[in-house]
């Protein structure tokens, strides 16, 4: 083992591979700007004309879920805390089933563009405004982290220019979002999934060759206690156990898959409801593949560095840099392959950012502009959508500059999602599943859930939990050929996990900190959801929620579930929810029909989708 030889650096080929990836993404944007008559209406721009099919949408959902935070964060997570992360495979399954069977049918039959439109239909416009503003704030914050995190990690290991990378990715992203709308977002995502899988594959194949086969990697991992799949400790304070991952993870990710505009917008843009459900289920396979790749990369990391941890030996300054460090270590003889890995990481970034920008544009146009200015033509709405895309692209790059002041990525990103996503998930759950919930209950519930989430979340950032809660596994440095004195061979187990800029040091730990703030970060979302639903139910009952008469289209009904089996009933199912004649090629999507249905009533609302 040639540990004395340094790791490689970036060469011209690596930069070329990276540039090619950006170029192809931009070209796809230009293609969709002009293909098929361009982006005539805001529907075309924001929803791809509602004519997408399942497979590209599935790949796109997978790509944007899998940001650079996943590519850099998950392997180092497995390296430090073990392969219990694999339990997320079960979590993803339950998340996809809940999204496809609970939330999708309701959103789909209403033919909406923004999920927050649903909140106005079901509650009132103030609840909608709350949901919209929470979403916009959350997404801009998160996108900033997603752009900045990989740039920093790669910069410190490979010397890849930091702000050059941030601005380049931000600009390319904004460019193809603005030019090509949702179609460009989906198809660039499909291309980027390919790049990500290729990047992972090159690392995995090379690592197993260098380490002498997969069996060596697994036995090293086993000896290092990294194959800790079964931890059934029910304590909600432990960071990752079977229960926190299954229960907490399900709530956190359902907030992202079931009700988050960036994801919902894409599966609602499918041709038919069957295609929309298929896209979710196909995407589940993609999630599994990526999870397995990432976990395996983590085990390969451990196998490679089990006797000489680069983090303790101060070769890298943060766990997120372990993955790029290994890439330069094992792929240094293959010019272009480290560049492929960097392209893989940035594909993750691009796909996440692009879907965020498109979703932000959709929400802004549908929830903030359309209700205020009723007279705008479709053409001008399309221009406004493109303008908001540019604006949000710039905002996200600005957020990346702010993110440079914040620490520990995976945790920060996920806890933001948990803090905001939990209460929003609770709000939609009240809407679809609780018939007697009313707008007062929904509003008070949302505020209560949000307050509790923020309290715990910010508390946890200020007073990070102790290491017996997070259970980091030991990392050794005895095998490093260090010529320095022998004193630095201390086995590192105590490493401060949260390196946030706002941390408060050396405080006497109070019971509040040890119990309440030490809650596993995956439970933030669960807590927010439960508080919102409970408070919402109680307040609704107190304020006469049972008296309201509701349209059953806003709720999840028995028919929504049974219609899954309509594929077996031949002709009937086209007509059972469409009273209007099915002339030339009407599709299954109520919001996209060749027959004009837009009868404008005095209030200026469009009755096209009133079934």
């Amino acid at each position: 083992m040639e540990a004395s030889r340094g790791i490689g650096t970036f060469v011209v080929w690596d930069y070329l591979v990276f540039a090619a990836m950006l170029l192809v993404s931009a070209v796809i944007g230009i293609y969709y700007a002009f293909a098929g008559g361009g982006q005539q209406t805001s529907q075309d721009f924001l929803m791809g004309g509602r004519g997408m099919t399942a497979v590209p949408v599935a790949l796109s959902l997978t790509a944007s879920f899998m940001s650079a935070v996943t590519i850099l964060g998950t392997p180092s997570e497995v390296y430090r805390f073990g392969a219990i992360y694999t339990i997320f495979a079960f979590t993803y399954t339950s998340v996809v089933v809940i999204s496809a069977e609970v939330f999708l049918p309701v959103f789909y039959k209403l033919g909406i563009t923004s999920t927050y439109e649903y909140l106005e239909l079901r509650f009132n416009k103030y609840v909608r405004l709350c949901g919209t503003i929470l979403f916009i704030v959350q997404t801009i914050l998160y996108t900033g982290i997603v752009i900045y995190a990989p740039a920093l990690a790669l910069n410190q290991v490979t010397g890849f220019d930091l702000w050059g990378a941030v601005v380049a990715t931000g600009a390319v992203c904004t460019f193809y979002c603005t030019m090509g709308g949702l179609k460009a977002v989906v198809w660039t995502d499909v291309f980027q999934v390919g790049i990500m899988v290729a990047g992972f594959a090159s690392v995995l194949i090379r690592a197993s060759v260098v380490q002498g086969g997969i069996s060596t990697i697994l036995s090293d991992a086993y000896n290092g206690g990294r194959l800790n799949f079964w931890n059934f400790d029910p304590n909600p304070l432990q960071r990752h156990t079977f229960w926190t991952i299954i229960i907490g993870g399900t709530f956190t990710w359902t907030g992202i898959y079931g009700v988050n505009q960036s994801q919902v917008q894409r599966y609602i843009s499918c041709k038919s409801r069957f295609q929309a459900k298929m896209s979710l289920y196909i995407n589940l396979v993609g999630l599994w593949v990526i999870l397995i790749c990432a976990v395996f990369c983590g085990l390969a990391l451990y196998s490679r560095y089990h006797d000489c941890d680069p983090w303790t030996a101060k070769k890298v300054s943060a766990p997120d840099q372990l993955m790029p460090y290994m890439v330069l270590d094992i792929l240094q003889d293959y010019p272009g392959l480290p560049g492929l890995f960097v392209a893989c990481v940035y594909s993750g970034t691009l796909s996440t950012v692009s879907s965020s920008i498109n979703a932000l544009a959709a929400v802004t146009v549908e929830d903030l502009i359309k209700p205020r200015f009723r007279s705008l033509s479709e053409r001008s709405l399309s221009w406004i959508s493109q303008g908001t895309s540019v604006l949000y692209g710039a905002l996200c790059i600005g957020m990346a500059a702010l993110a440079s002041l914040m620490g520990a990525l995976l945790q920060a990103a996920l806890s933001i999602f948990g803090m905001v996503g939990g209460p929003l998930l609770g709000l939609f759950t009240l809407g679809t599943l609780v018939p007697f919930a009313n707008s007062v209950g929904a509003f008070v519930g949302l505020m209560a859930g949000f307050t509790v989430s923020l309290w715990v979340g910010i508390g946890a950032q200020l007073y990070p939990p102790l290491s017996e809660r997070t259970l980091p596994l030991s990392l050794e440095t005895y095998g490093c050929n260090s010529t320095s004195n022998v004193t630095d061979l201390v086995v590192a187990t105590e490493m401060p996990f949260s390196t946030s800029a706002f941390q408060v040091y050396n405080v006497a730990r109070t019971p509040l900190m040890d119990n309440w703030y030490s809650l596993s970060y995956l439970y933030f979302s669960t807590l927010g959801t439960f508080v919102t639903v409970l408070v919402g139910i109680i307040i609704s009952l107190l304020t006469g929620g049972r008296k309201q008469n509701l349209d059953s289209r806003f709720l999840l009904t028995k028919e929504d579930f049974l219609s899954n089996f309509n594929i077996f009933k031949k002709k009937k199912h086209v007509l059972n929810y469409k009273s209007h004649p099915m002339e030339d090629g009407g599709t299954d999507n109520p919001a996209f029909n060749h027959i004009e249905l837009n009868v404008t009533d005095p209030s200026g609302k469009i009755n096209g989708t009133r079934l």
Side-chain angles (χ1 to χ4, degrees):
M1 179 153 169
E2 352 158 358
S4 51
R5 179 174 148 198
I7 61 168
T9 48
F10 253 50
V11 293
V12 182
W13 288 107
D14 298 320
Y15 285 106
L16 280 177
V17 171
F18 179 64
M21 189 268 306
L22 287 180
L23 189 70
V24 173
S25 299
V27 168
I28 294 178
I30 297 173
Y31 172 76
Y32 279 106
F34 302 112
Q39 310 291 324
Q40 300 295 335
T41 64
S42 64
Q43 275 285 356
D44 277 348
F45 183 78
L46 301 171
M47 304 293 290
R50 291 190 191 254
M52 309 299 294
T53 48
V55 176
V57 172
L59 289 172
S60 165
L61 287 169
T62 306
S64 57
F65 151 79
M66 184 193 164
S67 63
V69 178
T70 323
I71 299 178
L72 299 175
T74 310
S76 71
E77 162 77 39
V78 172
Y79 177 69
R80 293 177 54 220
F81 298 100
I84 188 161
Y85 203 83
T86 327
I87 305 284
F88 270 106
F90 300 118
T91 304
Y92 296 153
T93 313
S94 53
V95 167
V96 165
V97 171
I98 292 171
S99 303
E101 304 303 337
V102 178
F103 294 111
L104 184 143
V106 180
F107 292 150
Y108 202 92
K109 66 184 170 186
L110 292 171
I112 52 188
T113 301
S114 143
T115 41
Y116 304 99
E117 263 176 90
Y118 170 76
L119 294 178
E120 181 175 347
L121 293 170
R122 174 72 176 78
F123 300 118
N124 61 18
K125 61 172 185 282
Y126 304 110
V127 177
R128 173 183 186 172
L129 201 65
C130 279
T132 307
I133 289 169
L134 275 181
F135 170 76
I136 291 178
V137 171
Q138 167 195 10
T139 310
I140 292 175
L141 282 172
Y142 180 68
T143 313
I145 295 178
V146 165
I147 297 179
Y148 176 74
L152 178 71
L154 291 169
N155 162 266
Q156 293 188 332
V157 179
T158 61
F160 202 76
D161 186 57
L162 179 65
W163 292 105
V166 168
V167 175
T169 42
V172 168
C173 222
T174 311
F175 173 75
Y176 71 73
C177 282
T178 308
M179 296 293 286
L182 186 80
K183 278 188 183 152
V185 172
V186 169
W187 284 105
T188 45
D189 282 356
V190 172
F191 162 67
Q192 285 154 2
V193 161
I195 298 276
M196 285 190 257
V197 172
F200 262 147
S202 61
V203 176
L204 282 176
I205 292 168
R206 183 67 189 139
S208 47
V209 170
V210 171
Q211 292 308 104
I214 291 178
S215 52
T216 322
I217 295 183
L218 288 177
S219 70
D220 281 348
Y222 180 74
N223 296 335
R226 290 301 188 267
L227 300 184
N228 52 349
F229 296 113
W230 307 117
N231 176 357
F232 287 104
D233 183 354
N235 184 351
L237 305 180
Q238 299 295 13
R239 186 162 165 276
H240 279 169
T241 68
F242 181 83
W243 304 113
T244 49
I245 292 180
I246 293 277
I247 300 169
T250 299
F251 280 90
T252 305
W253 290 115
T254 309
I256 295 172
Y257 262 76
V259 300
N260 187 314
Q261 175 69 21
S262 328
Q263 303 284 34
V264 173
Q265 182 174 353
R266 270 170 298 169
Y267 57 69
I268 293 183
S269 71
C270 287
K271 277 180 192 160
S272 65
R273 207 185 74 176
F274 176 71
Q275 295 273 349
K277 284 194 174 176
M278 280 312 294
S279 73
L280 273 171
Y281 287 120
I282 295 170
N283 143 67
L284 178 59
V285 178
L287 293 184
W288 284 341
V289 170
I290 278 149
L291 180 71
I292 289 166
C293 283
V295 167
F296 216 79
C297 280
L299 296 178
L301 260 178
Y302 181 72
S303 171
R304 177 90 178 140
Y305 299 121
H306 65 97
D307 56 354
C308 175
D309 167 41
W311 187 34
T312 327
K314 299 283 179 287
K315 293 210 178 72
V316 297
S317 56
D320 299 301
Q321 299 163 14
L322 288 166
M323 197 60 193
Y325 182 84
M326 179 170 83
V327 167
L328 284 183
D329 182 11
I330 63 181
L331 293 173
Q332 53 187 353
D333 305 333
Y334 300 86
L337 280 186
L340 180 67
F341 178 75
V342 171
C344 160
V345 173
Y346 276 109
S347 293
T349 303
L350 281 175
S351 57
T352 308
V353 174
S354 63
S355 51
S356 299
I357 290 177
N358 200 315
L360 285 166
V363 165
T364 309
V365 170
E366 289 291 325
D367 295 340
L368 302 178
I369 293 171
K370 262 192 193 170
R372 306 278 175 286
F373 311 102
R374 289 271 163 81
S375 55
L376 290 169
S377 72
E378 273 296 342
R379 200 67 222 235
S380 53
L381 276 174
S382 183
W383 283 110
I384 291 173
S385 309
Q386 294 183 317
T388 47
S389 290
V390 175
L391 174 76
Y392 280 122
L395 262 179
C396 290
I397 296 178
M399 264 314 300
L402 265 182
S404 60
L405 309 171
M406 288 172 60
L409 313 176
L410 198 66
Q411 201 97 359
L414 276 178
S415 54
I416 288 175
F417 262 133
M419 286 187 267
V420 182
L424 276 179
L425 177 62
L427 186 58
F428 281 100
T429 311
L430 276 174
T432 47
L433 300 179
V434 183
F436 52 80
N438 63 8
S439 49
V440 186
F443 184 74
V444 178
L446 180 66
M447 288 303 130
F450 197 51
T451 316
V452 174
S453 289
L454 274 181
W455 178 28
V456 183
I458 291 173
Q461 288 281 333
L462 293 178
Y463 309 104
L466 302 168
S467 61
E468 65 257 25
R469 290 282 168 249
T470 55
L471 301 177
L473 302 168
S474 65
L475 304 164
E476 318 274 343
T477 50
Y478 62 83
C480 298
N481 311 6
S482 53
T483 46
S484 57
N485 35 4
V486 194
T487 47
D488 54 76
L489 290 181
V490 189
V491 173
T493 44
E494 297 289 319
M495 268 298 209
F497 181 59
S498 164
T499 45
S500 136
F502 321 112
Q503 207 166 324
V504 184
Y505 285 107
N506 307 336
V507 239
R509 308 278 302 183
T510 59
L512 180 73
M513 292 175 207
D514 276 343
N515 296 311
W516 185 232
Y517 293 160
S518 298
L519 195 65
S520 168
Y521 72 99
L522 287 170
Y523 277 134
F524 292 170
S525 192
T526 318
L527 188 72
T529 307
F530 274 119
V531 171
T532 305
V533 172
L534 282 174
V535 174
I537 286 177
I538 294 165
I539 303 281
S540 297
L541 288 175
L542 293 178
T543 53
R546 306 202 76 134
K547 295 193 187 66
Q548 57 182 355
N549 47 356
L550 253 192
D551 192 330
S552 68
R553 292 178 313 141
F554 304 146
L555 299 165
L556 182 72
T557 55
K558 211 162 56 190
E559 284 71 45
D560 288 325
F561 177 69
L562 294 176
S563 60
N564 283 337
F565 309 109
N566 277 348
I567 310 158
F568 309 121
K569 302 196 185 75
K570 279 290 167 285
K571 268 287 159 240
K572 248 180 19 220
H573 85 282
V574 181
L575 303 171
N576 64 11
Y577 69 108
K578 280 215 182 66
S579 44
H580 53 79
M582 301 280 296
E583 278 138 30
D584 53 310
T587 61
D588 260 359
N589 190 327
F592 174 67
N593 238 304
H594 303 304
I595 312 149
E596 274 305 310
L597 292 171
N598 302 344
V599 193
T600 325
D601 65 23
S603 69
K605 275 214 168 97
I606 290 184
N607 270 345
T609 58
R610 190 66 47 80
L611 300 179

